[in-house]
Amino acid sequence: QKEVEQNSGPLSVPEGAIASLNCTYSDRGSQSFFWYRQYSGKSPELIMFIYSNGDKEDGRFTAQLNKASQYVSLLIRDSQPSDSATYLCAVNNGITGGGNKLTFGTGTQLKVEL
Amino acid sequence: SQTIHQWPATLVQPVGSPLSLECTVEGTSNPNLYWYRQAAGRGLQLLFYSVGIGQISSEVPQNLSASRPQDRQFILSSKKLLLSDSGFYLCAWRWASGRDTQYFGPGTRLTVL
């Protein structure tokens, strides 16, 4: 069974600090990796995707992928109270056809404290 | 631009009653469509997906069913709801080809009493 693991948290960081969220996956054939943010009571919204090993930066967010170690992380610089949410990691095994399904982790709750 | 709608936003239903949730997508053709359920404090569970009109794949056997009567319409149904069907139901879409990013609708919160 393909699995995506995340620490449920809560992860508490002070305002202005760097928040580091981690995710590991079991399927070595995984090709695409996604981070979604979900505020309480709302639907997930896409933050970033990454396909290649290394770092990908978008504003205050940096996604890091290491396929050899089978982990993907999300760094949030200059954390703001508005970043307080649950962050979901999702993985696609890249097999064409079959609906291109994503496997989601259970999410890490982030709390940014004043 | 693309927009995804779900309704109703919230629903309270008695055990044993039927269910119909609707999802529509605007601004794209032949999308892949997905139904997920998120139980309280749990992860996203894929229920059904569809790659075209009338084409439904079930991921989890249960008392729910899905249909896709039109290209951009996806319906989740049940003949008799169970208490365990309570949860947050999310519809998502992705482009039929190319990148596999999924985009979620606003969701329907279902409470079965």
Side-chain angles (χ1 to χ4, degrees), chain A residues 35 48-50 54-58 61-65 72-75:
Chain A
W35 283 101
M48 292 190 70
F49 57 84
I50 186 167
D55 295 359
K56 179 182 179 183
E57 186 175 322
D58 183 1
F61 299 96
T62 299
Q64 299 175 319
L65 175 61
V72 57
S73 61
L74 179 70
L75 300 178

Side-chain angles (χ1 to χ4, degrees), chain A residues 32 34 36 38 41-44 46 49 51 88 92 98-102 104 106, chain B residues 32 34 36 38 44 46 49 51 59 88 90 94 99-102 104-106 109:
Chain A
S32 309
F34 305 86
Y36 288 83
Q38 186 174 24
K42 302 296 185 181
S43 64
L46 180 71
F49 57 84
Y51 301 114
L88 304 176
N92 183 308
N100 283 287
K101 295 172 284 187
L102 297 181
F104 284 83
T106 53
Chain B
N32 286 4
Y34 306 83
Y36 290 89
Q38 188 175 39
L44 287 169
L46 179 63
Y49 67 90
V51 299
E59 289 294 297
F88 192 34
L90 292 157
R94 64 170 289 272
R99 294 306 188 186
D100 45 13
T101 305
Q102 292 184 20
F104 286 87
R109 189 161 303 280

Side-chain angles (χ1 to χ4, degrees), chain B residues 30-67:
Chain B
N30 195 31
N32 286 4
L33 297 172
Y34 306 83
W35 277 114
Y36 290 89
R37 177 171 60 202
Q38 188 175 39
R42 306 284 295 278
L44 287 169
Q45 179 186 34
L46 179 63
L47 302 175
F48 301 94
Y49 67 90
S50 171
V51 299
I53 296 174
Q55 301 179 60
I56 307 295
S57 296
S58 174
E59 289 294 297
V60 183
Q62 54 203 321
N63 68 320
L64 299 172
S65 62
S67 62

Side-chain angles (χ1 to χ4, degrees), chain A:
Chain A
Q1 172 149 351
K2 302 180 180 67
E3 293 184 346
V4 177
E5 301 285 344
Q6 296 181 256
N7 188 320
S8 62
L11 172 66
S12 294
V13 299
E15 184 178 8
I18 296 176
S20 178
L21 305 165
N22 300 311
C23 169
T24 59
Y25 58 94
S26 62
D27 185 1
R28 282 197 171 274
S30 299
Q31 297 292 322
S32 309
F33 307 85
F34 305 86
W35 283 101
Y36 288 83
R37 177 176 62 199
Q38 186 174 24
Y39 291 113
S40 180
K42 302 296 185 181
S43 64
E45 56 179 323
L46 180 71
I47 295 177
M48 292 190 70
F49 57 84
I50 186 167
Y51 301 114
S52 304
N53 274 330
D55 295 359
K56 179 182 179 183
E57 186 175 322
D58 183 1
R60 295 188 296 111
F61 299 96
T62 299
Q64 299 175 319
L65 175 61
N66 185 323
K67 289 186 178 181
S69 300
Q70 295 178 241
Y71 83 79
V72 57
S73 61
L74 179 70
L75 300 178
I76 307 175
R77 291 182 299 281
D78 188 23
S79 295
Q80 302 296 309
S82 60
D83 295 325
S84 298
T86 297
Y87 289 80
L88 304 176
C89 173
V91 175
N92 183 308
N93 61 15
I95 297 175
T96 57
N100 283 287
K101 295 172 284 187
L102 297 181
T103 301
F104 284 83
T106 53
T108 297
Q109 184 183 6
L110 174 66
K111 293 185 177 180
V112 181
E113 300 170 333
L114 295 171

